[in-house]
Amino acid sequence: MPAPETVEAVCAVAGAREARAVPEGKTRVAVLMSGGVDSSVTAYLMMEAGYDVVGVTGWLIKSGSRCCDTGMIDAARVCEDLGIDHHAVDLRELFKNEIIDQFHESYARARTPLPCSLCNTLIKWGALMNYGRKLLNARYIATGHYARIVDTESGRRLCKAKDEKKDQSYVLWGLTLDQVNSTLLPLGDYDKGEIRDIARKAGIVTADRPDSQDLCFIPRGTTTQEYLANFLTVEPGPLIHTVTGQVLGEHQGTFNYTIGQRRGLGVAYSEPLYVTSIDPEMRVVYVGPKEALLRRELTASFVNWIMPSPPAEPFQALAKIRYNSQAAPATIFPLAEGRVRVVFSEAQPAITPGQVLGIYDEENVYILGGGWID
């Protein structure tokens, strides 16, 4: 992660213009806008709630992309229609160095990254939050994420959205308590259908814009493997059965595989095979039966706790190992140097290095923190 002074330096040269004064009696909120319907409705809801709203969009891709080409234009148009200022912040160098290059490096080390989560931490709640605070005099930032921030007796807590299918609390594990206290997430109490209805009734031009499903820096129509082949050297190696040790064939580069993968292995066998582990240094991809994917334990590093003080003793919680998985009962063992060991009550399939560990309370309401799976 970049040093804080690096992020501040980016903000200082990001194309800032003088912000207008905050109207008397108003609280300013900088709404981070991608040009999609969610962030557009967020800006509208913040205005309806009486805030002084400024739209902010990060310019992230050097060569242009579908999100940056159309997203900034759509965000600017929504802001114009709503009668609010719009700021485009040039973060292309930071995004390349900290998100795109990290994506390539992760696959080279046989780790399956989650760049959207890293982008939340470094770009949205890093550079753009600093931009809003320091240059726009914003008290809060607001985003179109489906999660909630609620006030409790012990302070503000980050928790899951009303719409379980859209809940995005998992990718917000990296927020600090200070950031939570300076964030508004108005969409957490709605489902997606309700948001589109609000957009249509308000006449927001992005009301029917399709949701983005892919990584913003991978060209449309290009697979992850096709994209990575432009940056990583293909080094063939053996496909080995993890149980029998039999060499089943040859793979075309370890970066083309991820834990749990079944399709595209290029070998015929008497039963379905899955990628069970990858050794990039020895250039070996191990495959085996589905039960060979099961693990009861993991460790995670760079752990962030969204609570007043980090836990020091083992505790019971629910742990989530990928965006689309269910949180499962586990014992969490805090370790030194910002790490944790997690022991699940029941073995979990395809625990994948490089993905996010999300830790929730036993009622599966609040996200307590998370880390990067080792």
Side-chain angles (χ1 to χ4, degrees), residues 31-42:
V31 178
L32 309 189
M33 301 181 68
S34 65
V37 63
D38 293 330
S39 57
S40 299
V41 171
T42 296

mmCIF file with all atom_site columns, all heavy atoms in Angstrom, residues 31-42:
data_model
loop_
_atom_site.group_PDB
_atom_site.id
_atom_site.type_symbol
_atom_site.label_atom_id
_atom_site.label_alt_id
_atom_site.label_comp_id
_atom_site.label_asym_id
_atom_site.label_entity_id
_atom_site.label_seq_id
_atom_site.pdbx_PDB_ins_code
_atom_site.Cartn_x
_atom_site.Cartn_y
_atom_site.Cartn_z
_atom_site.occupancy
_atom_site.B_iso_or_equiv
_atom_site.pdbx_formal_charge
_atom_site.auth_seq_id
_atom_site.auth_comp_id
_atom_site.auth_asym_id
_atom_site.auth_atom_id
_atom_site.pdbx_PDB_model_num
ATOM 1  N N   . VAL A 1 31 ? -19.678 12.717 -3.054  1.00 0.00 ? 31 VAL A N   1
ATOM 2  C CA  . VAL A 1 31 ? -20.207 11.440 -3.526  1.00 0.00 ? 31 VAL A CA  1
ATOM 3  C C   . VAL A 1 31 ? -19.269 10.893 -4.591  1.00 0.00 ? 31 VAL A C   1
ATOM 4  O O   . VAL A 1 31 ? -19.013 11.553 -5.605  1.00 0.00 ? 31 VAL A O   1
ATOM 5  C CB  . VAL A 1 31 ? -21.634 11.599 -4.093  1.00 0.00 ? 31 VAL A CB  1
ATOM 6  C CG1 . VAL A 1 31 ? -22.141 10.260 -4.636  1.00 0.00 ? 31 VAL A CG1 1
ATOM 7  C CG2 . VAL A 1 31 ? -22.580 12.111 -3.013  1.00 0.00 ? 31 VAL A CG2 1
ATOM 8  N N   . LEU A 1 32 ? -18.737 9.701  -4.355  1.00 0.00 ? 32 LEU A N   1
ATOM 9  C CA  . LEU A 1 32 ? -17.822 9.077  -5.312  1.00 0.00 ? 32 LEU A CA  1
ATOM 10 C C   . LEU A 1 32 ? -18.656 8.446  -6.414  1.00 0.00 ? 32 LEU A C   1
ATOM 11 O O   . LEU A 1 32 ? -19.401 7.496  -6.180  1.00 0.00 ? 32 LEU A O   1
ATOM 12 C CB  . LEU A 1 32 ? -16.949 8.039  -4.608  1.00 0.00 ? 32 LEU A CB  1
ATOM 13 C CG  . LEU A 1 32 ? -16.239 8.524  -3.341  1.00 0.00 ? 32 LEU A CG  1
ATOM 14 C CD1 . LEU A 1 32 ? -15.239 7.481  -2.872  1.00 0.00 ? 32 LEU A CD1 1
ATOM 15 C CD2 . LEU A 1 32 ? -15.556 9.876  -3.554  1.00 0.00 ? 32 LEU A CD2 1
ATOM 16 N N   . MET A 1 33 ? -18.509 8.969  -7.635  1.00 0.00 ? 33 MET A N   1
ATOM 17 C CA  . MET A 1 33 ? -19.417 8.616  -8.722  1.00 0.00 ? 33 MET A CA  1
ATOM 18 C C   . MET A 1 33 ? -18.675 7.921  -9.860  1.00 0.00 ? 33 MET A C   1
ATOM 19 O O   . MET A 1 33 ? -17.695 8.448  -10.388 1.00 0.00 ? 33 MET A O   1
ATOM 20 C CB  . MET A 1 33 ? -20.129 9.866  -9.234  1.00 0.00 ? 33 MET A CB  1
ATOM 21 C CG  . MET A 1 33 ? -20.928 10.581 -8.145  1.00 0.00 ? 33 MET A CG  1
ATOM 22 S SD  . MET A 1 33 ? -21.808 12.042 -8.748  1.00 0.00 ? 33 MET A SD  1
ATOM 23 C CE  . MET A 1 33 ? -23.037 11.287 -9.812  1.00 0.00 ? 33 MET A CE  1
ATOM 24 N N   . SER A 1 34 ? -19.191 6.756  -10.240 1.00 0.00 ? 34 SER A N   1
ATOM 25 C CA  . SER A 1 34 ? -18.607 5.988  -11.337 1.00 0.00 ? 34 SER A CA  1
ATOM 26 C C   . SER A 1 34 ? -19.335 6.230  -12.654 1.00 0.00 ? 34 SER A C   1
ATOM 27 O O   . SER A 1 34 ? -18.859 5.824  -13.710 1.00 0.00 ? 34 SER A O   1
ATOM 28 C CB  . SER A 1 34 ? -18.672 4.497  -11.009 1.00 0.00 ? 34 SER A CB  1
ATOM 29 O OG  . SER A 1 34 ? -20.027 4.073  -10.952 1.00 0.00 ? 34 SER A OG  1
ATOM 30 N N   . GLY A 1 35 ? -20.506 6.846  -12.586 1.00 0.00 ? 35 GLY A N   1
ATOM 31 C CA  . GLY A 1 35 ? -21.349 6.996  -13.765 1.00 0.00 ? 35 GLY A CA  1
ATOM 32 C C   . GLY A 1 35 ? -22.441 5.962  -13.828 1.00 0.00 ? 35 GLY A C   1
ATOM 33 O O   . GLY A 1 35 ? -23.302 6.009  -14.717 1.00 0.00 ? 35 GLY A O   1
ATOM 34 N N   . GLY A 1 36 ? -22.454 5.006  -12.896 1.00 0.00 ? 36 GLY A N   1
ATOM 35 C CA  . GLY A 1 36 ? -23.495 3.990  -12.850 1.00 0.00 ? 36 GLY A CA  1
ATOM 36 C C   . GLY A 1 36 ? -24.719 4.465  -12.093 1.00 0.00 ? 36 GLY A C   1
ATOM 37 O O   . GLY A 1 36 ? -24.716 5.535  -11.466 1.00 0.00 ? 36 GLY A O   1
ATOM 38 N N   . VAL A 1 37 ? -25.758 3.651  -12.115 1.00 0.00 ? 37 VAL A N   1
ATOM 39 C CA  . VAL A 1 37 ? -27.006 4.045  -11.482 1.00 0.00 ? 37 VAL A CA  1
ATOM 40 C C   . VAL A 1 37 ? -26.866 4.123  -9.963  1.00 0.00 ? 37 VAL A C   1
ATOM 41 O O   . VAL A 1 37 ? -27.478 4.983  -9.318  1.00 0.00 ? 37 VAL A O   1
ATOM 42 C CB  . VAL A 1 37 ? -28.152 3.082  -11.883 1.00 0.00 ? 37 VAL A CB  1
ATOM 43 C CG1 . VAL A 1 37 ? -27.885 1.661  -11.409 1.00 0.00 ? 37 VAL A CG1 1
ATOM 44 C CG2 . VAL A 1 37 ? -29.499 3.578  -11.362 1.00 0.00 ? 37 VAL A CG2 1
ATOM 45 N N   . ASP A 1 38 ? -26.067 3.245  -9.356  1.00 0.00 ? 38 ASP A N   1
ATOM 46 C CA  . ASP A 1 38 ? -25.973 3.229  -7.898  1.00 0.00 ? 38 ASP A CA  1
ATOM 47 C C   . ASP A 1 38 ? -25.391 4.522  -7.346  1.00 0.00 ? 38 ASP A C   1
ATOM 48 O O   . ASP A 1 38 ? -25.952 5.136  -6.440  1.00 0.00 ? 38 ASP A O   1
ATOM 49 C CB  . ASP A 1 38 ? -25.136 2.026  -7.434  1.00 0.00 ? 38 ASP A CB  1
ATOM 50 C CG  . ASP A 1 38 ? -25.815 0.699  -7.709  1.00 0.00 ? 38 ASP A CG  1
ATOM 51 O OD1 . ASP A 1 38 ? -27.057 0.658  -7.700  1.00 0.00 ? 38 ASP A OD1 1
ATOM 52 O OD2 . ASP A 1 38 ? -25.115 -0.292 -7.932  1.00 0.00 ? 38 ASP A OD2 1
ATOM 53 N N   . SER A 1 39 ? -24.251 4.948  -7.894  1.00 0.00 ? 39 SER A N   1
ATOM 54 C CA  . SER A 1 39 ? -23.639 6.175  -7.384  1.00 0.00 ? 39 SER A CA  1
ATOM 55 C C   . SER A 1 39 ? -24.447 7.407  -7.796  1.00 0.00 ? 39 SER A C   1
ATOM 56 O O   . SER A 1 39 ? -24.467 8.408  -7.070  1.00 0.00 ? 39 SER A O   1
ATOM 57 C CB  . SER A 1 39 ? -22.190 6.297  -7.846  1.00 0.00 ? 39 SER A CB  1
ATOM 58 O OG  . SER A 1 39 ? -22.090 6.252  -9.257  1.00 0.00 ? 39 SER A OG  1
ATOM 59 N N   . SER A 1 40 ? -25.141 7.328  -8.932  1.00 0.00 ? 40 SER A N   1
ATOM 60 C CA  . SER A 1 40 ? -25.989 8.452  -9.352  1.00 0.00 ? 40 SER A CA  1
ATOM 61 C C   . SER A 1 40 ? -27.143 8.641  -8.367  1.00 0.00 ? 40 SER A C   1
ATOM 62 O O   . SER A 1 40 ? -27.448 9.767  -7.950  1.00 0.00 ? 40 SER A O   1
ATOM 63 C CB  . SER A 1 40 ? -26.544 8.200  -10.759 1.00 0.00 ? 40 SER A CB  1
ATOM 64 O OG  . SER A 1 40 ? -25.508 8.087  -11.712 1.00 0.00 ? 40 SER A OG  1
ATOM 65 N N   . VAL A 1 41 ? -27.778 7.536  -7.985  1.00 0.00 ? 41 VAL A N   1
ATOM 66 C CA  . VAL A 1 41 ? -28.879 7.623  -7.015  1.00 0.00 ? 41 VAL A CA  1
ATOM 67 C C   . VAL A 1 41 ? -28.348 8.033  -5.651  1.00 0.00 ? 41 VAL A C   1
ATOM 68 O O   . VAL A 1 41 ? -29.025 8.751  -4.895  1.00 0.00 ? 41 VAL A O   1
ATOM 69 C CB  . VAL A 1 41 ? -29.640 6.282  -6.944  1.00 0.00 ? 41 VAL A CB  1
ATOM 70 C CG1 . VAL A 1 41 ? -30.632 6.274  -5.781  1.00 0.00 ? 41 VAL A CG1 1
ATOM 71 C CG2 . VAL A 1 41 ? -30.381 6.031  -8.252  1.00 0.00 ? 41 VAL A CG2 1
ATOM 72 N N   . THR A 1 42 ? -27.136 7.616  -5.309  1.00 0.00 ? 42 THR A N   1
ATOM 73 C CA  . THR A 1 42 ? -26.534 8.054  -4.044  1.00 0.00 ? 42 THR A CA  1
ATOM 74 C C   . THR A 1 42 ? -26.459 9.568  -3.990  1.00 0.00 ? 42 THR A C   1
ATOM 75 O O   . THR A 1 42 ? -26.821 10.186 -2.978  1.00 0.00 ? 42 THR A O   1
ATOM 76 C CB  . THR A 1 42 ? -25.124 7.446  -3.888  1.00 0.00 ? 42 THR A CB  1
ATOM 77 O OG1 . THR A 1 42 ? -25.237 6.023  -3.797  1.00 0.00 ? 42 THR A OG1 1
ATOM 78 C CG2 . THR A 1 42 ? -24.436 7.972  -2.638  1.00 0.00 ? 42 THR A CG2 1
#
